Amino acid sequence: MQWFVTKIVYQIICGNGDHTPQFDEQLRLISASDKEEAWKRACEIGIQGQYSFNNQRQELVQWRFINVPEMNTLEMLGDGMELYSRIEEPSDADAYISWLQVKAASLRGQEYIDIHS
């Protein structure tokens, strides 16, 4: 088994989505036998990590899985390795999502496939 660091991206949607677009980029450790298995496992984690709740104003807040646009093999694990989660607020949410989808497709060596259809 090998260790991989994958980036899992969620879009955060509050209410009707009439706000500055927000994305949560999470780096996750994945143990898998190869890159394909690691990517599939990261997608499973992404789908399982989708959730929603009502905020204090009773607006629906959703974490919607977008894709896995980055993945790197770790040759060895080291004490204190940094992994992080970051909220992204791009000016154009659709362009940002398209960019993530293209990166994810290129990671898999194939053309873009919409995993939500």
Side-chain angles (χ1 to χ4, degrees):
M1 296 297 263
Q2 295 178 294
W3 285 101
F4 298 85
V5 175
T6 60
K7 181 186 283 188
I8 297 174
V9 180
Y10 295 92
Q11 182 174 16
I12 304 167
I13 303 167
C14 183
N16 63 7
D18 217 11
H19 55 81
T20 301
Q22 291 185 323
F23 295 86
D24 183 8
E25 298 181 350
Q26 301 178 1
L27 294 184
R28 299 286 189 110
L29 281 175
I30 305 291
S31 177
S33 58
D34 59 31
K35 280 190 169 192
E36 184 171 341
E37 181 185 343
W39 188 85
K40 286 178 183 176
R41 179 73 182 115
C43 285
E44 289 170 2
I45 290 169
I47 291 167
Q48 291 169 0
Q50 296 183 110
Y51 68 98
S52 59
F53 61 91
N54 287 323
N55 66 12
Q56 296 164 329
R57 295 185 216 154
Q58 296 306 309
E59 298 170 312
L60 183 64
V61 178
Q62 303 172 69
W63 254 255
R64 188 177 124 223
F65 173 61
I66 299 299
N67 215 324
V68 178
E70 295 180 28
M71 180 170 54
N72 294 296
T73 306
L74 290 177
E75 299 305 323
M76 64 179 204
L77 296 177
D79 184 41
M81 289 183 76
E82 183 177 340
L83 301 179
Y84 73 98
S85 173
R86 180 177 98 176
I87 303 297
E88 186 70 35
E89 295 183 356
S91 58
D92 185 338
D94 292 333
Y96 180 75
I97 290 171
S98 292
W99 173 75
L100 290 173
Q101 300 292 16
V102 167
K103 283 188 74 171
S106 115
L107 180 65
R108 301 207 60 225
Q110 61 188 39
E111 291 184 35
Y112 166 68
I113 297 172
D114 186 351
I115 65 171
H116 298 288
S117 48

